[in-house]
Amino acid sequence: MSAESDLSQTRSGRAHRTRKSRMPASEGLPAMRAADSQASNLRREIDGLGLDLLQRILLLTDGTLTPLLEMYAGEEIEAVKLCQELRAERGRGRVPPGRRILVRTALLRGRTSLRNLLHAESTVFLDRLDRRISRGLLETNAPIGRLLRGARTETFREVLGCGREPAGPRAEYFLVPECSPMIYRTSRVWSAGALIMAITERFPETQFRGAPPSCA
């Protein structure tokens, strides 16, 4: 899809929202009910995992996880990049606006303790972000959440699903057996009506249980 098509869709979306705002409030009820149903299904999924309170909060929150992790760990959180690749959509040589895609795998860990807390795999649409955020993702170890807050970017996280799976090759980062379970959630992150990121976050099932390190 071209940048012109994106712009056309944006204008069309604005027009649609304008028309919708003139409709009776009752016509928005199906969408509200669908959202409520999705939220209920997500809560049922999480209830079935048998998690502690903080683990549930980490899965349910619609914001970034960095502030919660820093409160839990009692220290600043940094991102350790395991793999980072800048791609062009459809493999075009010259990347037009809105087409740079950053595919990144990283660990979120305590800056002082060097304790790994979270594993994250993300696909980020760089050109839909403030340049400060894009530059920070490419050039620094700042977590995505801190960069978004620093640029005062308002976001909404849509949690698509969560569950439990074997740690596999990620086990080495958390010093657990490969067969041990990890909890994951997959989300899409939106800002100003545009999809800016898709992300899957994982942590060992034994992580975030009991008293946090800062209280131990």
Side-chain angles (χ1 to χ4, degrees):
M1 185 181 293
S2 67
E4 291 80 3
S5 297
D6 290 341
L7 180 59
S8 175
Q9 285 192 355
T10 301
R11 288 172 177 164
S12 175
R14 287 174 182 164
H16 176 70
R17 287 193 294 272
T18 301
R19 291 193 298 270
K20 190 173 181 179
S21 66
R22 299 191 186 105
M23 295 178 182
S26 60
E27 295 195 16
L29 289 177
M32 294 173 62
R33 288 169 180 160
D36 288 343
S37 176
Q38 182 178 1
S40 297
N41 291 338
L42 177 63
R43 285 193 291 271
R44 281 195 293 271
E45 285 183 21
I46 294 175
D47 288 342
L49 295 174
L51 305 178
D52 275 10
L53 176 60
L54 179 56
Q55 295 174 323
R56 290 172 57 87
I57 291 173
L58 290 172
L59 294 182
L60 280 169
T61 182
D62 61 4
T64 61
L65 297 186
T66 308
L68 291 173
L69 294 178
E70 290 181 334
M71 289 177 62
Y72 169 82
E75 60 180 319
E76 187 173 321
I77 299 298
E78 65 179 358
V80 180
K81 301 171 187 176
L82 302 176
C83 179
Q84 180 165 285
E85 181 182 357
L86 191 61
R87 299 178 182 174
E89 189 174 355
R90 297 179 182 175
R92 294 182 181 179
R94 183 175 179 179
V95 187
R99 292 295 177 87
R100 288 189 307 163
I101 300 174
L102 178 67
V103 179
R104 182 168 100 158
T105 302
L107 296 169
L108 295 186
R109 74 178 184 186
R111 182 182 292 275
T112 302
S113 68
L114 304 184
R115 179 188 180 192
N116 295 326
L117 298 175
L118 198 81
H119 181 278
E121 296 177 342
S122 55
T123 299
V124 185
F125 300 92
L126 289 178
D127 295 296
R128 301 176 188 178
L129 295 170
D130 185 291
R131 289 183 180 179
R132 292 171 293 176
I133 302 174
S134 300
R135 191 180 308 117
L137 287 171
L138 293 171
E139 301 174 2
T140 76
N141 289 329
I144 292 174
R146 184 176 303 127
L147 293 169
L148 291 169
R149 292 203 318 275
R152 299 184 180 276
T153 301
E154 295 185 1
T155 62
F156 171 75
R157 182 185 292 261
E158 177 188 8
V159 182
L160 301 178
C162 59
R164 181 184 280 112
E165 64 183 9
R170 306 175 190 90
E172 63 177 300
Y173 304 119
F174 301 95
L175 303 179
V176 297
E178 290 190 5
C179 61
S180 63
M182 295 191 81
I183 305 300
Y184 72 87
R185 75 164 181 175
T186 298
S187 313
R188 294 188 296 191
V189 182
W190 304 79
S191 180
L195 177 64
I196 61 172
M197 176 174 35
I199 184 167
T200 297
E201 297 148 317
R202 299 177 175 89
F203 57 85
E205 189 177 45
T206 54
Q207 193 92 289
F208 309 118
R209 287 187 180 273
S214 56
C215 297

